[in-house]
Amino acid sequence: ARPWWRAPRTWAVAAAAAGIALVLALPFGLPWLEPPAPRDLAAVEEVVLGRRLPLLRQLPVVERLELLENLELIAQLDTAVPGGAAGER
């Protein structure tokens, strides 16, 4: 007589039970396999904006500098020689 753990029927029943357990467990999710729940986005945004607060306070200055750069570029275009590098062929 064979021991009970060597009988083929025992392994078949054990495999079927494991398969059924897996099928039943998957729809409910396995907490150790799931990604962590997302944190409150408002709190994350507060931290990000808090780090950039000094830059946000200087935003009007930065906007004025950008306008000055654009004005300088336009002035350079006004004084460009007609038929410049593209026209010399």
Side-chain angles (χ1 to χ4, degrees):
R2 283 190 246 178
W4 66 270
W5 62 84
R6 292 198 139 217
R9 188 179 309 173
T10 305
W11 288 110
V13 170
I20 290 171
L22 185 64
V23 167
L24 292 176
L26 286 179
F28 298 109
L30 302 173
W32 59 87
L33 292 178
E34 293 178 359
R39 297 183 179 184
D40 185 19
L41 289 179
V44 173
E45 288 177 356
E46 275 185 30
V47 171
V48 171
L49 288 176
R51 289 182 185 163
R52 296 183 177 178
L53 192 58
L55 290 175
L56 290 174
R57 288 184 180 146
Q58 299 298 324
L59 187 62
V61 174
V62 173
E63 287 176 342
R64 286 190 204 124
L65 288 174
E66 190 173 319
L67 287 174
L68 285 174
E69 286 179 4
N70 291 341
L71 185 62
E72 189 174 309
L73 179 66
I74 292 170
Q76 288 175 0
L77 290 175
D78 286 342
T79 59
V81 178
E88 298 175 344
R89 287 189 182 169

